Amino acid sequence: MPQKVVVIYSGGMDSYTVLHKAIADGHDVYALSFNYGQRHVKELECAAQVCRELGINHKVVDISAINQLLAGSSLTDNIEVPEGHYEAENMKSTIVPNRNMILISLAVGYADSIKAKAVYYGAHSGDHFIYPDCRPEFVEKMNAVCQIANYDPIDIVSPYLHESKIEILRDGLAMGLDYSKTWTCYNGRELACGKCGACQERLEAFALNKAKDPLPYE
């Protein structure tokens, strides 16, 4: 029997790959997206469209009220999005305090309510320098907590935790995925900027895989 799982699905290329990996592994996937007050909703629009096309259950939950508590991120506040390489020190301004712990906790509650066995999310090794809540030790501790937080244990699964965005893209291309159905840019303009850390990391991943990014850029 297929195992029911929840995938935290932002609409970006990492979670898009994780979503398809869970499907390819034969799981019964329930996608969960969050509006946490991010600068734009282009990723969420991509997520909704993909889930419609795949015919999978998809919930988009508005938790933007939490921004009354979580200040100081260029992804949610009126702070200029930094440009430059993804691992530059200035990219720390894109941290949303405690975001993944909050999102995972909500996803675990959802998983328990629908009797799902696991929550998937797309942390990867390229995030480790900047984002504490994408590091292996965080995932390990969250997994330990989620084994005992409810009567039924919920596994926290990050299939690309020790792999880079380059390797994630390589896996997705091998699955035949169409990355024009994703959005990565931190800015919410009509075209991707190509200059922010997220865009630069994405473009580097395509270049190193000798593939062309299907998204248009400014």
Side-chain angles (χ1 to χ4, degrees):
M1 292 290 291
Q3 178 173 282
K4 189 181 292 185
V5 301
V6 172
V7 175
I8 298 176
Y9 182 33
S10 70
M13 62 183 292
D14 302 333
S15 63
Y16 176 73
T17 312
V18 170
L19 180 82
H20 282 83
K21 187 173 184 64
I23 293 170
D25 287 344
H27 297 311
D28 180 12
V29 171
Y30 285 67
L32 181 60
S33 304
F34 294 98
N35 177 357
Y36 56 86
Q38 55 266 56
R39 183 177 289 266
H40 61 80
V41 295
K42 291 180 77 79
E43 275 188 318
L44 295 178
E45 291 168 353
C46 289
Q49 180 62 34
V50 165
C51 290
R52 281 194 296 269
E53 292 175 359
L54 293 173
I56 64 175
N57 189 292
H58 181 220
K59 288 188 181 296
V60 180
V61 181
D62 187 344
I63 59 169
S64 56
I66 66 172
N67 279 339
Q68 298 174 65
L69 304 176
L70 311 180
S73 172
S74 57
L75 299 190
T76 55
D77 279 357
N78 189 25
I79 300 171
E80 188 173 351
V81 173
E83 296 180 356
H85 194 271
Y86 197 69
E87 292 190 354
E89 186 70 20
N90 65 343
M91 289 299 149
K92 289 185 177 179
S93 78
T94 64
I95 293 173
V96 178
N98 220 33
R99 178 181 63 179
N100 283 344
M101 181 178 284
I102 294 166
L103 302 190
I104 291 169
S105 295
L106 291 170
V108 166
Y110 177 45
D112 186 67
S113 73
I114 63 172
K115 305 303 179 187
K117 299 299 184 184
V119 167
Y120 280 62
Y121 90 113
H124 64 84
S125 64
D127 289 333
H128 296 174
F129 175 77
I130 302 171
Y131 302 113
D133 56 5
C134 290
R135 293 172 184 165
E137 54 266 40
F138 171 81
V139 178
E140 291 163 7
K141 299 296 186 184
M142 279 299 292
N143 185 56
V145 167
C146 293
Q147 300 302 305
I148 60 173
N150 297 284
Y151 283 116
D152 295 317
I154 307 291
D155 294 328
I156 306 303
V157 181
S158 295
Y160 298 108
L161 184 61
H162 300 287
E163 298 178 66
S164 68
K165 204 177 200 83
I166 298 159
E167 293 165 311
I168 294 172
L169 179 60
R170 184 176 302 140
D171 196 22
L173 292 172
M175 287 191 278
L177 301 188
D178 179 1
Y179 285 93
S180 70
K181 298 178 179 180
T182 67
W183 184 264
T184 299
C185 184
Y186 284 148
N187 293 293
R189 299 192 287 264
E190 185 64 26
L191 303 178
C193 74
K195 296 178 181 178
C196 69
C199 278
Q200 291 209 355
E201 188 191 36
R202 176 181 174 126
L203 288 166
E204 180 182 51
F206 273 94
L208 291 175
N209 276 290
K210 296 181 170 56
K212 179 173 172 47
D213 188 347
L215 281 187
Y217 286 81
E218 293 176 349

